[in-house]
Amino acid sequence: MSRMTLALLLATTSLPALAQDFPLTLTHKFGTTVIEAAPERVASLDYNGADNLLALGVQPVTVKYWFGDYPRAVWPWADALLEGTPEILNGDLNFEQIAAADPDVIIALYSGITAEDYAKLSEIAPVVAVPEGVGDYELGWVDQALIAGRAIGREAEAQAQVDAISARLASIAGAHPDWAGKTVTLGTVWADKPNVYAPGDPRVQLLNEMGLANNEALVALSTPGVFYIELSEEQPEPFDSDLLLWFADEGVPPIEAVAFRPTLAAVTGGREIFMGPLMTSALSHTSLLSLPYAFDVLEPLMADALDGDGIEAELRVTE
């Protein structure tokens, strides 16, 4: 756990508990959910959801497996806070497994549940889903934290941690005024195809909050509700940004094999960063626990890549 994460936890646990009124009514894309009383047993269906619950002092009764080889399906920044082993949901939703965990509420803000899933889950416990008009994986990190916090009666704690992370983002942008207006692309290679993440993706939005702009060619290809775009080898333009970040959790060689990569200005200018499994996961979780960890690693790498010397550098690869 990073010093920043520990500081956030200490700051919020020292706050006085503020009463939050229940019953609580929440509206979302599937309708309205009423939570009668502050829940004690909270099930998370979100790929990143255990992090925010743990950050707010709640032990989830279910955790969704995403990727990685960690036995309890949480990553290092969260593992120390997890007590015991909750029910681990892997693959398609197992409604019997979720029901057996006996939740008081089910959080599904970054889960991709369907209307049919919602109806079945609502027979188990009240379900908190994404707001109307928001794509399954478009809800930003702030709303993920605040809605989850509100649903479990800990909105004040969630707001305090959001404020601390927002201040950190503002500090990064303020420390690097030269980043303003420079473009960034977040990409990966999946099944031998180059992919870029759209402006609506929460991870791209974090980079924007640091002062970086989106590639215009990428913006032109983006549509609401789509968080990534598969491209062909004949479409290098969305990758041709001032800074190029790669999710390289499957290794660097598949990315190096992309035919157009050597022609990109970010590559020839040494403004390219390969994020290994740990950093890919930290940035992808976009959680109250993972973001401070990600910023500690990413900020100096980005500053080094964007120093403007135009000299090709050795590959910058994170864990």
Side-chain angles (χ1 to χ4, degrees):
M1 185 183 301
S2 73
R3 289 191 297 272
M4 182 65 181
T5 301
L6 180 59
L8 285 171
L9 292 173
L10 291 174
T12 54
T13 54
S14 65
L15 290 170
L18 299 177
Q20 186 171 312
D21 291 336
F22 285 88
L24 177 68
T25 301
L26 297 173
T27 58
H28 47 74
K29 74 175 186 177
F30 300 119
T32 301
T33 292
V34 177
I35 305 171
E36 295 293 344
E40 296 181 2
R41 298 181 60 80
V42 182
S44 175
L45 307 190
D46 296 329
Y47 287 99
N48 60 352
D51 281 15
N52 283 344
L53 296 179
L54 290 168
L56 297 174
V58 171
Q59 295 293 319
V61 297
T62 69
V63 170
K64 177 71 173 179
Y65 172 81
W66 192 354
F67 63 104
D69 297 324
Y70 298 99
R72 299 193 294 174
V74 297
W75 287 68
W77 47 83
D79 186 71
L81 299 177
L82 183 63
E83 301 170 2
T85 302
E87 289 291 326
I88 297 173
L89 309 175
N90 198 340
D92 293 338
L93 290 180
N94 184 326
F95 298 98
E96 291 77 13
Q97 185 184 15
I98 297 167
D102 192 26
D104 299 321
V105 70
I106 299 169
I107 309 295
L109 296 168
Y110 203 71
S111 65
I113 63 168
T114 65
E116 182 180 0
D117 294 333
Y118 173 78
K120 292 179 179 178
L121 291 165
S122 295
E123 296 177 2
I124 301 171
V127 182
V128 181
V130 297
E132 182 69 38
V134 178
D136 287 335
Y137 303 105
E138 281 192 334
L139 193 63
W141 69 274
V142 171
D143 287 332
Q144 288 180 45
L146 294 182
I147 294 173
R150 189 175 310 135
I152 62 176
R154 306 197 180 197
E155 187 173 14
E157 293 94 327
Q159 185 66 64
Q161 294 194 38
V162 163
D163 289 347
I165 293 174
S166 295
R168 177 74 186 278
L169 278 166
S171 175
I172 291 173
H176 305 284
D178 54 307
W179 292 6
K182 291 189 176 180
T183 56
V184 63
T185 293
L186 177 61
T188 192
V189 172
W190 179 255
D192 297 326
K193 299 285 188 180
N195 289 256
V196 287
Y197 291 87
D201 184 272
R203 295 159 291 194
V204 176
Q205 293 169 3
L206 281 167
L207 297 170
N208 297 152
E209 289 187 67
M210 295 181 192
L212 295 161
N214 293 314
N215 181 303
E216 290 185 3
L218 172 57
V219 172
L221 291 173
S222 301
T223 56
V226 175
F227 73 98
Y228 76 96
I229 305 166
E230 181 181 299
L231 300 175
S232 72
E233 295 278 9
E234 289 74 43
Q235 293 176 286
E237 293 83 8
F239 289 89
D240 206 5
S241 296
D242 295 310
L243 178 66
L244 181 54
L245 303 178
W246 295 99
F247 283 148
D249 50 304
E250 298 296 327
V252 172
I255 297 169
E256 290 184 308
V258 174
F260 61 68
R261 178 180 163 270
T263 69
L264 301 175
V267 176
T268 59
R271 300 188 302 275
E272 182 182 41
I273 298 171
F274 291 82
M275 292 181 283
L278 201 58
M279 185 49 112
T280 293
S281 180
L283 193 59
S284 294
H285 274 68
T286 60
S287 74
L288 297 175
L289 293 180
S290 74
L291 289 180
Y293 181 96
F295 298 158
D296 286 347
V297 176
L298 197 55
E299 181 187 2
L301 285 173
M302 291 171 60
D304 183 52
L306 285 167
D307 65 3
D309 60 19
I311 299 173
E312 185 171 2
E314 294 181 2
L315 292 180
R316 297 176 180 84
V317 184
T318 73
E319 290 184 288

